[in-house]
Amino acid sequence: MGEGPRFMALTPATDLGPATALTCRECGHTRELGPHYACEECFGPLEISYDFADVTRASIEAGPRNIWRYRGLLPVPGNVTDTPNTEPGLTRLVRADQLAEALGLQRLWVKDDSGNPTHSFKDRVVAVALAAARELGFKVLACPSTGNLANAVAAAAARAGIRSAVFVPSNLESQKIITTAVYGGTFVTVDGNYDDVNRLASEIAGEQDGWAFVNVNVRPYYAEGSKTLGYEIAEQLGWRLPDQIVVPVASGSQLTKIDKAFQEFIRLGLVEDKPYQVFGAQAAGCGPVAAAFKAGHDVVRPVKPDTIAKSLAIGNPADGPYVLDVVRRTGGAVEDVTDAEVVEGIRLLARTEGIFGETAGGVTVGVLRKLVESGALDPSAETVIINSGDGLKTLDAISSSVAPSANIAPTLEAFRAADLA
Ligand SMILES: *Cc1c(COP(=O)(O)O)cnc(C)c1O
Ligand SMILES: [Zn+2]
């Protein structure tokens, strides 16, 4: 596979904040910062290395009320807040006592990332990718997407005043097609599944110099944006880590970076070091990481996705093996649920907490329930789950299972007859 645009040498003025190098996750080979994503030695994925300076609770708390309060821990320029961007993050962490009671848990929180500018956690990763891509000299913000990333890229590029180029499977939810097209930009539907679109994007990236495919050729920078979810959870809990966390898994990036965030906060002394367990949530119709976990395998066998949880429908997850590492290291698990359980999860979260999550949220709630029932998750330990997107974007998933209580004439007699009191 091609290695991205080599011609763009970094100028001495390039500022990627505390980032110092790119390090291979497989062999540890290190190279200079730049528009690179695959190791020169072994083709393994590259990850950002840092030299953090002077990041304290006070310096974070004094920062803006969005992800840029953590800019000292991200591969972005120090003046990132001066450039128009969507300012995602600092979404609410909701104490979920009624959901906890319904599932037999004692202390449960929902990190509700549907509160981001385009209503999913993807605004975080895109904001970081855009800031780094500009610094690296890219001119177009692009992506292959299962939907939410398309929204986030199109919106972020519009806000930044640059061109976007977005590629999605043509069978995507109509809500996600509309909510991408509205921002303008180049928007292409492709007759194939996400894995087909992703492969096409890699091929286009190989010949379109200057196009930053956020989750392909600038993926090392993009992935770091997910750390902000972990930072926020720890800060919002009052500078401490939860005992257990349940995270939806598509490519697996979000889960591995939440763990990286917790590890960095421990290393920097921002939270007390303590054990925590990380759990992954997938849909049974696209559960390659859950299958590998249950079989005790280190490799993840690709599958053909068939699930209503389209935002998680990546059959060949790039970070799958690293998810297995994190989950096994921390004593967690990866579990999957059927589409019927996804719908029930969406409805349960809505009914008990007034939070309307998308299908990925339904997957996470469904998996939480299953983990409690199987005993894999400790019901007495403090638990956080992620709702990573907004139910308004996946209405088709539940449109046939919810309805008004009654339809009546505008009279008191009709109200009484309907027996609703
Ligand atoms: C992209 C996405 C995820 C997880 O993505 P990863 O590729 O695993 O980082 C989770 N939930 C929603 C709603 C998403 O759009
Ligand atoms: Zn390597």
Short mmCIF file of all heavy atoms in Angstrom, two decimals, residues 335-379:
data_model
loop_
_atom_site.label_atom_id
_atom_site.label_comp_id
_atom_site.label_asym_id
_atom_site.label_seq_id
_atom_site.Cartn_x
_atom_site.Cartn_y
_atom_site.Cartn_z
N GLU A 335 -18.19 -8.38 24.00
CA GLU A 335 -19.45 -9.11 23.88
C GLU A 335 -20.23 -8.52 22.71
O GLU A 335 -19.97 -7.39 22.27
CB GLU A 335 -20.22 -8.97 25.20
CG GLU A 335 -21.47 -9.81 25.33
CD GLU A 335 -21.26 -11.30 25.04
OE1 GLU A 335 -21.41 -11.68 23.86
OE2 GLU A 335 -20.97 -12.06 25.97
N ASP A 336 -21.15 -9.31 22.18
CA ASP A 336 -21.98 -8.79 21.07
C ASP A 336 -23.45 -9.08 21.33
O ASP A 336 -23.79 -9.97 22.11
CB ASP A 336 -21.52 -9.34 19.72
CG ASP A 336 -21.45 -10.86 19.69
OD1 ASP A 336 -21.94 -11.51 20.62
OD2 ASP A 336 -20.90 -11.39 18.72
N VAL A 337 -24.32 -8.31 20.66
CA VAL A 337 -25.77 -8.46 20.83
C VAL A 337 -26.46 -8.45 19.47
O VAL A 337 -25.97 -7.85 18.51
CB VAL A 337 -26.35 -7.32 21.70
CG1 VAL A 337 -25.99 -7.53 23.17
CG2 VAL A 337 -25.91 -5.95 21.21
N THR A 338 -27.62 -9.11 19.44
CA THR A 338 -28.41 -9.18 18.20
C THR A 338 -29.05 -7.84 17.90
O THR A 338 -29.16 -6.97 18.76
CB THR A 338 -29.54 -10.21 18.35
OG1 THR A 338 -30.45 -9.74 19.37
CG2 THR A 338 -29.01 -11.58 18.75
N ASP A 339 -29.54 -7.68 16.67
CA ASP A 339 -30.21 -6.43 16.30
C ASP A 339 -31.44 -6.18 17.18
O ASP A 339 -31.73 -5.04 17.53
CB ASP A 339 -30.61 -6.46 14.81
CG ASP A 339 -29.41 -6.21 13.89
OD1 ASP A 339 -28.30 -5.98 14.41
OD2 ASP A 339 -29.59 -6.24 12.65
N ALA A 340 -32.17 -7.24 17.54
CA ALA A 340 -33.33 -7.06 18.43
C ALA A 340 -32.88 -6.51 19.78
O ALA A 340 -33.55 -5.64 20.36
CB ALA A 340 -34.05 -8.40 18.61
N GLU A 341 -31.75 -6.99 20.27
CA GLU A 341 -31.22 -6.47 21.55
C GLU A 341 -30.72 -5.03 21.40
O GLU A 341 -30.75 -4.25 22.35
CB GLU A 341 -30.09 -7.38 22.05
CG GLU A 341 -30.59 -8.76 22.51
CD GLU A 341 -29.46 -9.75 22.78
OE1 GLU A 341 -28.53 -9.86 21.93
OE2 GLU A 341 -29.51 -10.42 23.81
N VAL A 342 -30.25 -4.66 20.20
CA VAL A 342 -29.84 -3.28 19.94
C VAL A 342 -31.05 -2.35 20.07
O VAL A 342 -30.99 -1.31 20.74
CB VAL A 342 -29.21 -3.14 18.53
CG1 VAL A 342 -28.93 -1.67 18.22
CG2 VAL A 342 -27.93 -3.97 18.42
N VAL A 343 -32.16 -2.74 19.44
CA VAL A 343 -33.39 -1.94 19.51
C VAL A 343 -33.85 -1.83 20.96
O VAL A 343 -34.20 -0.75 21.44
CB VAL A 343 -34.49 -2.56 18.62
CG1 VAL A 343 -35.82 -1.86 18.85
CG2 VAL A 343 -34.07 -2.48 17.15
N GLU A 344 -33.83 -2.94 21.68
CA GLU A 344 -34.24 -2.93 23.08
C GLU A 344 -33.30 -2.03 23.90
O GLU A 344 -33.75 -1.31 24.80
CB GLU A 344 -34.28 -4.36 23.64
CG GLU A 344 -34.83 -4.50 25.05
CD GLU A 344 -36.05 -3.60 25.34
OE1 GLU A 344 -36.94 -3.47 24.47
OE2 GLU A 344 -36.10 -3.01 26.44
N GLY A 345 -32.02 -2.04 23.57
CA GLY A 345 -31.06 -1.18 24.27
C GLY A 345 -31.34 0.30 24.05
O GLY A 345 -31.28 1.10 24.98
N ILE A 346 -31.66 0.66 22.81
CA ILE A 346 -32.01 2.05 22.50
C ILE A 346 -33.23 2.47 23.32
O ILE A 346 -33.26 3.54 23.94
CB ILE A 346 -32.32 2.21 20.99
CG1 ILE A 346 -31.06 2.01 20.15
CG2 ILE A 346 -32.94 3.58 20.71
CD1 ILE A 346 -31.31 1.98 18.64
N ARG A 347 -34.25 1.61 23.33
CA ARG A 347 -35.50 1.94 24.02
C ARG A 347 -35.31 2.00 25.54
O ARG A 347 -35.86 2.86 26.21
CB ARG A 347 -36.58 0.93 23.65
CG ARG A 347 -36.91 0.99 22.15
CD ARG A 347 -37.98 -0.01 21.76
NE ARG A 347 -39.23 0.26 22.50
CZ ARG A 347 -40.26 -0.58 22.55
NH1 ARG A 347 -40.19 -1.74 21.92
NH2 ARG A 347 -41.33 -0.27 23.21
N LEU A 348 -34.50 1.10 26.07
CA LEU A 348 -34.25 1.07 27.51
C LEU A 348 -33.54 2.35 27.97
O LEU A 348 -33.92 2.96 28.97
CB LEU A 348 -33.42 -0.17 27.87
CG LEU A 348 -33.08 -0.36 29.35
CD1 LEU A 348 -34.35 -0.56 30.18
CD2 LEU A 348 -32.13 -1.55 29.53
N LEU A 349 -32.52 2.77 27.22
CA LEU A 349 -31.79 4.00 27.56
C LEU A 349 -32.72 5.21 27.50
O LEU A 349 -32.69 6.09 28.37
CB LEU A 349 -30.60 4.18 26.61
CG LEU A 349 -29.74 5.43 26.80
CD1 LEU A 349 -29.08 5.44 28.18
CD2 LEU A 349 -28.66 5.51 25.71
N ALA A 350 -33.56 5.24 26.48
CA ALA A 350 -34.50 6.36 26.31
C ALA A 350 -35.52 6.39 27.45
O ALA A 350 -35.78 7.43 28.05
CB ALA A 350 -35.20 6.25 24.96
N ARG A 351 -36.10 5.20 27.73
CA ARG A 351 -37.13 5.09 28.77
C ARG A 351 -36.62 5.44 30.16
O ARG A 351 -37.30 6.07 30.94
CB ARG A 351 -37.59 3.62 28.82
CG ARG A 351 -38.92 3.33 28.22
CD ARG A 351 -39.48 1.95 28.52
NE ARG A 351 -38.65 0.87 28.96
CZ ARG A 351 -38.23 -0.12 28.16
NH1 ARG A 351 -38.48 -0.11 26.86
NH2 ARG A 351 -37.52 -1.10 28.66
N THR A 352 -35.40 4.98 30.46
CA THR A 352 -34.92 5.13 31.84
C THR A 352 -34.19 6.44 32.08
O THR A 352 -34.19 6.95 33.19
CB THR A 352 -33.95 3.98 32.21
OG1 THR A 352 -32.91 3.92 31.24
CG2 THR A 352 -34.69 2.64 32.27
N GLU A 353 -33.55 6.99 31.04
CA GLU A 353 -32.72 8.17 31.27
C GLU A 353 -33.04 9.36 30.38
O GLU A 353 -32.41 10.41 30.48
CB GLU A 353 -31.23 7.81 31.11
CG GLU A 353 -30.74 6.74 32.08
CD GLU A 353 -30.87 7.16 33.56
OE1 GLU A 353 -30.96 8.38 33.82
OE2 GLU A 353 -30.89 6.27 34.42
N GLY A 354 -33.99 9.20 29.46
CA GLY A 354 -34.32 10.32 28.58
C GLY A 354 -33.21 10.62 27.59
O GLY A 354 -33.05 11.76 27.14
N ILE A 355 -32.42 9.61 27.26
CA ILE A 355 -31.32 9.79 26.29
C ILE A 355 -31.63 8.93 25.07
O ILE A 355 -31.77 7.70 25.19
CB ILE A 355 -29.96 9.37 26.89
CG1 ILE A 355 -29.63 10.26 28.10
CG2 ILE A 355 -28.86 9.44 25.84
CD1 ILE A 355 -28.40 9.78 28.87
N PHE A 356 -31.72 9.57 23.91
CA PHE A 356 -32.04 8.84 22.67
C PHE A 356 -30.74 8.59 21.92
O PHE A 356 -30.22 9.46 21.24
CB PHE A 356 -33.02 9.67 21.84
CG PHE A 356 -33.51 8.98 20.58
CD1 PHE A 356 -33.39 7.61 20.39
CD2 PHE A 356 -34.13 9.73 19.58
CE1 PHE A 356 -33.84 6.99 19.23
CE2 PHE A 356 -34.60 9.13 18.42
CZ PHE A 356 -34.45 7.76 18.25
N GLY A 357 -30.22 7.39 22.08
CA GLY A 357 -28.96 7.04 21.44
C GLY A 357 -29.18 6.44 20.07
O GLY A 357 -30.27 5.96 19.75
N GLU A 358 -28.14 6.45 19.27
CA GLU A 358 -28.23 5.77 17.97
C GLU A 358 -27.97 4.27 18.18
O GLU A 358 -27.83 3.79 19.31
CB GLU A 358 -27.25 6.38 16.97
CG GLU A 358 -25.80 6.03 17.19
CD GLU A 358 -25.05 5.82 15.87
OE1 GLU A 358 -24.70 6.82 15.22
OE2 GLU A 358 -24.81 4.65 15.50
N THR A 359 -27.93 3.53 17.09
CA THR A 359 -27.77 2.08 17.20
C THR A 359 -26.50 1.69 17.97
O THR A 359 -26.51 0.71 18.71
CB THR A 359 -27.73 1.45 15.79
OG1 THR A 359 -26.88 2.22 14.96
CG2 THR A 359 -29.12 1.39 15.19
N ALA A 360 -25.42 2.47 17.83
CA ALA A 360 -24.20 2.15 18.58
C ALA A 360 -24.45 2.24 20.09
O ALA A 360 -23.92 1.43 20.86
CB ALA A 360 -23.06 3.09 18.17
N GLY A 361 -25.28 3.20 20.51
CA GLY A 361 -25.66 3.31 21.92
C GLY A 361 -26.49 2.10 22.33
O GLY A 361 -26.33 1.58 23.44
N GLY A 362 -27.36 1.65 21.44
CA GLY A 362 -28.16 0.45 21.71
C GLY A 362 -27.28 -0.78 21.87
O GLY A 362 -27.54 -1.64 22.72
N VAL A 363 -26.24 -0.86 21.05
CA VAL A 363 -25.28 -1.97 21.16
C VAL A 363 -24.62 -1.94 22.54
O VAL A 363 -24.52 -2.97 23.23
CB VAL A 363 -24.19 -1.86 20.06
CG1 VAL A 363 -23.01 -2.79 20.35
CG2 VAL A 363 -24.78 -2.17 18.68
N THR A 364 -24.21 -0.75 22.97
CA THR A 364 -23.47 -0.63 24.22
C THR A 364 -24.36 -0.96 25.42
O THR A 364 -23.94 -1.67 26.34
CB THR A 364 -22.88 0.79 24.33
OG1 THR A 364 -22.11 1.04 23.15
CG2 THR A 364 -21.98 0.93 25.53
N VAL A 365 -25.61 -0.46 25.42
CA VAL A 365 -26.54 -0.77 26.51
C VAL A 365 -26.86 -2.27 26.51
O VAL A 365 -26.89 -2.91 27.56
CB VAL A 365 -27.82 0.08 26.40
CG1 VAL A 365 -28.87 -0.38 27.42
CG2 VAL A 365 -27.50 1.55 26.59
N GLY A 366 -27.10 -2.83 25.32
CA GLY A 366 -27.40 -4.26 25.22
C GLY A 366 -26.25 -5.12 25.74
O GLY A 366 -26.46 -6.11 26.45
N VAL A 367 -25.03 -4.70 25.39
CA VAL A 367 -23.85 -5.45 25.86
C VAL A 367 -23.68 -5.29 27.37
O VAL A 367 -23.36 -6.25 28.08
CB VAL A 367 -22.58 -5.02 25.09
CG1 VAL A 367 -21.32 -5.44 25.83
CG2 VAL A 367 -22.60 -5.62 23.68
N LEU A 368 -23.93 -4.09 27.87
CA LEU A 368 -23.86 -3.87 29.33
C LEU A 368 -24.78 -4.86 30.04
O LEU A 368 -24.38 -5.53 31.00
CB LEU A 368 -24.28 -2.43 29.66
CG LEU A 368 -24.44 -2.10 31.16
CD1 LEU A 368 -23.10 -2.16 31.87
CD2 LEU A 368 -25.09 -0.72 31.34
N ARG A 369 -26.03 -4.94 29.56
CA ARG A 369 -27.00 -5.86 30.18
C ARG A 369 -26.49 -7.30 30.15
O ARG A 369 -26.51 -8.01 31.15
CB ARG A 369 -28.34 -5.76 29.44
CG ARG A 369 -29.23 -6.97 29.67
CD ARG A 369 -30.55 -6.83 28.94
NE ARG A 369 -31.54 -6.24 29.82
CZ ARG A 369 -32.74 -5.83 29.44
NH1 ARG A 369 -33.08 -5.88 28.18
NH2 ARG A 369 -33.59 -5.35 30.31
N LYS A 370 -25.96 -7.70 29.00
CA LYS A 370 -25.49 -9.07 28.83
C LYS A 370 -24.29 -9.37 29.75
O LYS A 370 -24.18 -10.46 30.32
CB LYS A 370 -25.09 -9.28 27.37
CG LYS A 370 -25.41 -10.66 26.83
CD LYS A 370 -25.33 -10.71 25.32
CE LYS A 370 -24.97 -12.12 24.85
NZ LYS A 370 -24.91 -12.22 23.39
N LEU A 371 -23.40 -8.38 29.90
CA LEU A 371 -22.22 -8.57 30.75
C LEU A 371 -22.60 -8.67 32.22
O LEU A 371 -21.96 -9.41 32.99
CB LEU A 371 -21.23 -7.40 30.55
CG LEU A 371 -20.52 -7.31 29.21
CD1 LEU A 371 -19.82 -5.96 29.06
CD2 LEU A 371 -19.51 -8.46 29.04
N VAL A 372 -23.64 -7.93 32.63
CA VAL A 372 -24.11 -8.03 34.01
C VAL A 372 -24.72 -9.40 34.23
O VAL A 372 -24.42 -10.08 35.21
CB VAL A 372 -25.15 -6.92 34.33
CG1 VAL A 372 -25.73 -7.12 35.73
CG2 VAL A 372 -24.54 -5.54 34.20
N GLU A 373 -25.55 -9.82 33.26
CA GLU A 373 -26.23 -11.11 33.40
C GLU A 373 -25.24 -12.28 33.43
O GLU A 373 -25.46 -13.26 34.14
CB GLU A 373 -27.25 -11.30 32.27
CG GLU A 373 -28.51 -10.45 32.51
CD GLU A 373 -29.43 -10.39 31.30
OE1 GLU A 373 -29.14 -11.04 30.27
OE2 GLU A 373 -30.44 -9.68 31.38
N SER A 374 -24.17 -12.18 32.67
CA SER A 374 -23.20 -13.29 32.62
C SER A 374 -22.22 -13.26 33.78
O SER A 374 -21.45 -14.19 33.98
CB SER A 374 -22.41 -13.24 31.30
OG SER A 374 -21.47 -12.17 31.35
N GLY A 375 -22.22 -12.12 34.53
CA GLY A 375 -21.30 -12.01 35.64
C GLY A 375 -19.92 -11.51 35.25
O GLY A 375 -19.03 -11.38 36.09
N ALA A 376 -19.72 -11.19 33.96
CA ALA A 376 -18.41 -10.69 33.52
C ALA A 376 -18.15 -9.29 34.07
O ALA A 376 -17.00 -8.89 34.28
CB ALA A 376 -18.36 -10.66 31.99
N LEU A 377 -19.23 -8.55 34.30
CA LEU A 377 -19.12 -7.18 34.82
C LEU A 377 -19.61 -7.17 36.27
O LEU A 377 -20.63 -7.78 36.58
CB LEU A 377 -19.97 -6.26 33.95
CG LEU A 377 -19.75 -4.77 34.06
CD1 LEU A 377 -19.47 -4.19 32.68
CD2 LEU A 377 -20.98 -4.11 34.65
N ASP A 378 -18.87 -6.50 37.14
CA ASP A 378 -19.21 -6.46 38.56
C ASP A 378 -20.30 -5.40 38.80
O ASP A 378 -20.05 -4.21 38.63
CB ASP A 378 -17.94 -6.12 39.35
CG ASP A 378 -18.21 -6.00 40.84
OD1 ASP A 378 -19.38 -6.14 41.26
OD2 ASP A 378 -17.23 -5.77 41.59
N PRO A 379 -21.51 -5.81 39.21
CA PRO A 379 -22.60 -4.85 39.36
C PRO A 379 -22.39 -3.87 40.50
O PRO A 379 -23.05 -2.83 40.56
CB PRO A 379 -23.83 -5.74 39.62
CG PRO A 379 -23.29 -7.03 40.11
CD PRO A 379 -21.92 -7.19 39.52
#
